[in-house]
Amino acid sequence: MKKFLLLLLITVLIITTCSCGSLPEGKNNEEHASEALDAFLEGIENNDYEAIKAVFSKNTLYKQEDFNSDIADLMDYFEGDILSRSKTGVSRAGREDSHWDLSAIYKVKTSEQTYIVQFELCKNDTKDQEYRGIETLSIIKIEDYEDYMGASFSKPGLYVGPPPYDNTPKNFSTIGKKHIEEVVNAIEKKDKEELQDLFSKNTLAELGNIDKDIEALFKYYEGSVIKYTESVWGKYVETEEENEPQKTGTFYYDVTTTKGTFRIAAEFCLNYNDENAEGLNSIYILKADETMNLKIPYRGDRKGTPGINIGVENLIK
């Protein structure tokens, strides 16, 4: 019995000490995200640099040359007293090359401004406690979010205001809607050739014959479009593969038709030295009412699988 109790104690200690950092266990994703945001906002309200640092992972702080300067920029940028904050999205995700396992977006209203706060959080990294906490956080005024939402950042840190680089062009929404409309128009007309021509030559070469996938898509999509609504999940632009500069945009839209609402994510190569790579890479489509518990409602598997991906089987379970 004593050996069993000792083994149980050792097991508990291993489990509790393998978690990364200082965030408490036993909470769901929204609770983890809410707690991190509250600590961050409290640090701003109290002008407490150390409290803000404590929300970030040790690894993130280690990689910053002057985190105090970033916080000073934050204090200058953030205006007014906090009135409310509301969640626009919390998802469990993560990339193989990153330690974060939770992404969240919040709208924060103050007496002077409205801000969008987006962050990536490690809540349970079993490899290294140094990664526990927020990896990357961006804050931007809502009037600028339309042009810059979804901007990707090359390294962990605190990003204040519009990004000072060219990897996220303004008026990106216009580009995105144009491409989404081309896809939907081809689907509504059930024009197999027109839809296929939207895909890049490289993608078609990789997939081979996609006639059956197109037919399944035509059967799945119902009704005539009423309106397009750009999703709060945003869009991003990736650039700069060595010796092959490119821009890849992923656009997320709710398409309301006479038969229902469809969530569509479409990834395009917008600009490439090789014309064979120009065009559509993947389509994800999901009926909005197929499940009431969407963890990531547009491109849920986070794989960006080339071709046509239909229905809830592409969501993270």
Side-chain angles (χ1 to χ4, degrees):
M1 183 66 179
K2 290 182 179 178
K3 290 183 178 179
F4 173 77
L5 291 175
L6 179 60
L7 179 61
L8 179 62
L9 177 60
I10 292 172
T11 302
V12 170
L13 287 172
I14 290 173
I15 293 172
T16 55
T17 56
C18 279
S19 298
C20 48
S22 58
L23 291 177
E25 297 299 317
K27 297 189 176 185
N28 63 34
N29 290 334
E30 291 189 16
E31 289 172 331
H32 277 294
S34 179
E35 181 176 274
L37 179 70
D38 286 344
F40 175 72
L41 294 178
E42 184 177 346
I44 294 176
E45 285 186 304
N46 296 329
N47 197 33
D48 189 335
Y49 282 41
E50 294 305 314
I52 292 174
K53 289 181 187 177
V55 180
F56 287 82
S57 71
K58 293 180 180 179
N59 177 66
T60 296
L61 297 177
Y62 174 76
K63 290 185 175 181
Q64 303 308 302
E65 295 180 0
D66 188 359
F67 204 74
N68 281 341
S69 177
D70 295 333
I71 297 177
D73 291 340
L74 170 67
M75 295 302 185
D76 290 338
Y77 186 74
F78 196 90
E79 301 174 337
D81 298 322
I82 298 171
L83 302 178
S84 67
R85 49 85 150 173
S86 57
K87 176 193 67 179
T88 63
V90 175
S91 67
R92 183 181 181 277
R95 306 185 305 270
E96 291 183 359
D97 61 342
S98 180
H99 288 264
W100 64 270
D101 56 9
L102 188 155
S103 177
I105 306 174
Y106 283 85
K107 182 185 294 184
V108 177
K109 291 184 178 181
T110 76
S111 55
E112 301 291 335
Q113 290 282 353
T114 299
Y115 299 89
I116 298 296
V117 179
Q118 183 169 357
F119 56 89
E120 296 164 352
L121 172 71
C122 166
K123 62 182 178 64
N124 189 27
D125 192 310
T126 58
K127 297 177 182 178
D128 193 336
Q129 295 184 25
E130 299 295 305
Y131 292 95
R132 179 80 182 235
I134 289 177
E135 180 178 284
T136 302
L137 183 146
S138 65
I139 179 169
I140 191 168
K141 293 175 182 177
I142 197 166
E143 62 262 30
D144 295 323
Y145 188 61
E146 176 70 18
D147 292 324
Y148 291 101
M149 69 176 174
S152 58
F153 302 102
S154 60
K155 64 180 182 179
L158 171 62
Y159 295 87
V160 179
Y165 23 74
D166 297 329
N167 72 331
T168 305
K170 283 180 173 275
N171 300 319
F172 203 65
S173 297
T174 303
I175 300 171
K177 187 176 181 183
K178 172 182 176 292
H179 285 294
I180 289 290
E181 286 178 344
E182 288 176 346
V183 170
V184 172
N185 287 340
I187 296 172
E188 287 197 357
K189 291 188 296 183
K190 297 189 183 301
D191 190 325
K192 187 182 298 184
E193 184 176 343
E194 182 176 327
L195 182 60
Q196 184 166 303
D197 285 345
L198 294 175
F199 282 88
S200 73
K201 293 178 181 178
N202 285 348
T203 298
L204 292 176
E206 177 183 349
L207 296 174
N209 192 316
I210 62 170
D211 285 355
K212 289 184 178 180
D213 294 333
I214 292 177
E215 289 169 4
L217 175 59
F218 288 166
K219 185 176 180 180
Y220 184 78
Y221 181 93
E222 300 174 312
S224 301
V225 67
I226 296 173
K227 67 176 180 177
Y228 298 87
T229 305
E230 190 173 16
S231 164
V232 297
W233 291 79
K235 63 271 178 180
Y236 62 85
V237 177
E238 297 173 346
T239 60
E240 296 181 9
E241 288 190 8
E242 188 176 359
N243 299 322
E244 294 184 334
Q246 67 172 338
K247 294 182 179 179
T248 303
T250 302
F251 310 104
Y252 303 84
Y253 274 82
D254 284 356
V255 180
T256 303
T257 76
T258 52
K259 295 290 187 178
T261 298
F262 296 83
R263 305 186 190 280
I264 298 179
E267 182 182 270
F268 292 86
C269 178
L270 303 175
N271 185 352
Y272 206 90
N273 287 339
D274 180 3
E275 64 178 12
N276 291 326
E278 185 102 18
L280 182 62
N281 179 54
S282 70
I283 299 172
Y284 281 73
I285 182 168
L286 172 71
K287 292 177 182 177
D289 60 358
E290 275 195 330
T291 173
M292 298 301 291
N293 186 29
L294 297 176
K295 292 182 178 179
I296 303 178
Y298 295 88
R299 197 176 61 163
D301 62 5
R302 288 284 175 139
K303 295 178 181 178
T305 304
I308 297 170
N309 306 278
I310 301 172
V312 294
E313 63 270 20
N314 296 301
L315 292 177
I316 292 175
K317 300 298 190 289

